[in-house]
């Protein structure tokens, strides 16, 4: 069978199943199944595809038709311009989370001259996308001690593989949030689970394939922020800063929790590209 007709059949099957971008997804799955690049497939529409690859492709199309996220089928996701390996044990990195990386980089420029060593921890690292992207874009790597934690050993396995693939040095800890981390952290970054149980129940079908541990923020979606901020009370340097991703509806409540932990703390909110409040910075931790 020829590439063009296989691709067309795949597109039709995905469209019938209500997949949002059937053309793009079918193309990426064909590339994945055949290990051919887009250019190779496009160059020769008459390209013959082997029986084995056709079988793999339609198998993937079947899975995608059940709304299994594309990234879990190709086992890759791009984040901050880098390629990350993903498995069903990790949340698929989202574009809005790139704000956390950008903001951290900006803040680091301000403290760079003031400290010899800067300790940065990514809590609930999942695939490691945040801390690894940060590591890849920092210039003087010796200046930073990069730490990442996750409660899930399976997630840490993926994060460690990603760190090795990108050749960056990060200390990984398997623990509940920041529990076993040192108490002199300069910067904490986290995209914790923040969907409420009701939101999780009603979320898109695709999200239901992602690990509940990475999404479920308890009854009101805030329980992980509560635990994290109370743990961080004794873990942060006084001039330290915390950057959190959150749902737009949650920022006020998280600020209330932060003020209980550090009554004098300062807070700042940043919107995502859709203009929704997505990230929160907590500083002045005394
Ligand atoms: N942004 C994710 C979503 O809405 C949730 C991620 C999280 O809970 N940290 O699907």
């Amino acid at each position: 069978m020829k590439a063009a007709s296989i691709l067309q059949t795949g597109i039709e099957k995905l469209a019938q199943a209500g997949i949002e971008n059937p053309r793009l997804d079918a193309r990426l799955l064909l590339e994945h199944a055949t290990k051919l690049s887009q250019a190779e497939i496009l160059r020769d529409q008459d390209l013959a595809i082997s029986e084995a690859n056709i079988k793999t492709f339609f198998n993937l199309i079947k899975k995608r038709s059940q709304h299994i996220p594309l990234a879990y089928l190709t086992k890759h996701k791009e984040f901050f311009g880098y390629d990350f390996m993903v498995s069903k044990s990790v949340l698929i990195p989202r574009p809005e989370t790139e704000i956390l990386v950008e903001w951290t980089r900006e803040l680091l420029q301000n403290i760079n001259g003031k400290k010899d060593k800067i300790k940065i921890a990514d809590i609930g690292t999942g695939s490691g996308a945040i801390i690894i992207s940060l590591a890849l874009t920092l210039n003087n790597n010796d200046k930073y001690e990069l730490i990442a934690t996750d409660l899930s050993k399976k997630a840490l396995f993926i994060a460690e593989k990603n760190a090795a693939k990108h050749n960056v040095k990060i200390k990984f800890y398997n623990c509940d949030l920041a529990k076993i981390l040192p108490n002199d952290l300069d910067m904490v970054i986290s995209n914790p689970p923040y969907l409420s149980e009701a939101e999780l129940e009603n979320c898109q079908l695709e999200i239901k394939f992602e690990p509940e541990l990475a999404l479920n923020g308890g009854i009101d979606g805030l329980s992980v922020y509560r635990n994290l901020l109370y743990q961080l009370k004794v873990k942060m340097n006084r001039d330290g800063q915390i950057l959190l991703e959150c749902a737009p509806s949650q920022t006020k409540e998280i600020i209330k929790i932060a003020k209980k932990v550090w009554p004098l703390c300062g807070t700042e909110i940043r919107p995502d590209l859709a203009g929704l409040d997505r990230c929160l910075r907590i500083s002045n931790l005394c």
Side-chain angles (χ1 to χ4, degrees):
M1 264 172 102
K2 308 280 168 63
S5 69
I6 293 165
L7 187 59
Q8 194 50 38
T9 313
I11 293 168
E12 281 159 22
K13 282 183 189 285
L14 293 186
Q16 270 162 20
I19 298 299
E20 206 175 323
N21 295 308
R23 191 166 293 275
L24 177 68
D25 286 15
R27 180 171 68 64
L28 291 171
L29 290 176
L30 186 60
E31 282 169 39
H32 184 71
T34 59
K35 310 265 179 304
L36 293 169
S37 69
Q38 184 190 0
E40 284 167 315
I41 294 172
L42 289 180
R43 198 182 307 139
D44 181 5
Q45 302 262 312
D46 289 334
L47 190 72
I49 308 290
S50 73
E51 282 302 318
N53 285 346
I54 294 173
K55 206 168 153 208
T56 309
F57 173 64
F58 283 115
N59 215 348
L60 291 167
I61 290 287
K62 192 168 155 202
K63 289 187 176 158
R64 186 67 189 111
S65 299
Q66 294 158 0
H67 291 252
I68 297 178
L70 185 78
Y72 287 157
L73 300 177
T74 62
K75 302 192 168 46
H76 288 270
K77 180 73 186 174
E78 193 195 297
F79 178 84
F80 216 78
Y82 301 111
D83 179 60
F84 289 94
M85 187 183 149
V86 294
S87 78
K88 61 182 181 352
S89 302
V90 301
L91 188 81
I92 299 166
R94 313 280 206 263
E96 58 268 30
T97 306
E98 293 181 359
I99 302 166
L100 280 184
V101 182
E102 271 160 17
W103 205 356
T104 308
R105 281 166 45 75
E106 261 175 64
L107 296 168
L108 287 175
Q109 278 173 5
N110 297 336
I111 43 176
N112 248 339
K114 300 177 193 150
K115 288 200 171 218
D116 292 336
K117 192 96 188 169
I118 301 174
K119 238 178 231 187
I120 308 172
D122 172 19
I123 310 297
T125 194
S127 64
I130 297 173
I131 196 82
I132 294 169
S133 301
L134 188 64
L136 287 166
T137 54
L138 292 175
N139 283 333
N140 180 359
N141 271 336
D142 287 345
K143 201 175 163 68
Y144 305 99
E145 185 176 330
L146 302 178
I147 299 168
T149 74
D150 209 288
L151 188 56
S152 158
K153 285 195 174 128
K154 286 185 176 165
L156 279 182
F157 175 76
I158 299 292
E160 277 169 331
K161 279 201 156 197
N162 278 321
K165 165 184 152 106
H166 287 292
N167 198 19
V168 292
K169 209 172 118 213
I170 293 162
K171 277 190 198 160
F172 289 101
Y173 294 89
N174 178 218
C175 70
D176 171 30
L177 301 171
K179 221 166 206 164
I180 61 172
L181 295 191
N183 58 4
D184 57 351
L185 301 174
D186 295 299
M187 190 159 291
V188 161
I189 327 163
S190 184
N191 173 19
Y194 58 66
L195 298 186
S196 68
E197 280 169 9
E199 282 170 330
L200 198 55
E201 188 73 20
N202 298 314
C203 69
Q204 287 170 17
L205 191 49
E206 299 216 354
I207 296 180
K208 291 194 195 289
F209 288 96
E210 296 191 86
E212 194 183 334
L213 188 64
L215 292 164
N216 190 342
I219 286 207
D220 59 359
L222 293 165
S223 56
V224 182
Y225 295 103
R226 276 189 207 98
N227 293 341
L228 177 61
L229 294 181
Y230 277 97
Q231 279 188 17
L232 290 179
K233 187 173 171 62
V234 292
K235 300 284 183 188
M236 303 297 301
N237 282 335
R238 287 163 77 91
D239 58 357
Q241 311 194 54
I242 301 164
L243 286 189
L244 301 172
E245 179 174 319
C246 40
S249 58
Q250 289 170 331
T251 45
K252 281 200 184 75
E253 288 305 315
I254 303 170
I255 291 173
K256 274 194 203 157
I257 302 168
K259 295 269 181 196
K260 276 195 192 145
V261 182
W262 300 280
L264 300 176
C265 69
T267 57
E268 186 187 353
I269 294 168
R270 270 211 186 166
D272 60 20
L273 288 174
L276 302 167
D277 290 347
R278 184 62 65 184
C279 291
L280 174 67
R281 175 168 81 103
I282 310 169
S283 57
N284 202 14
L285 307 176
C286 45

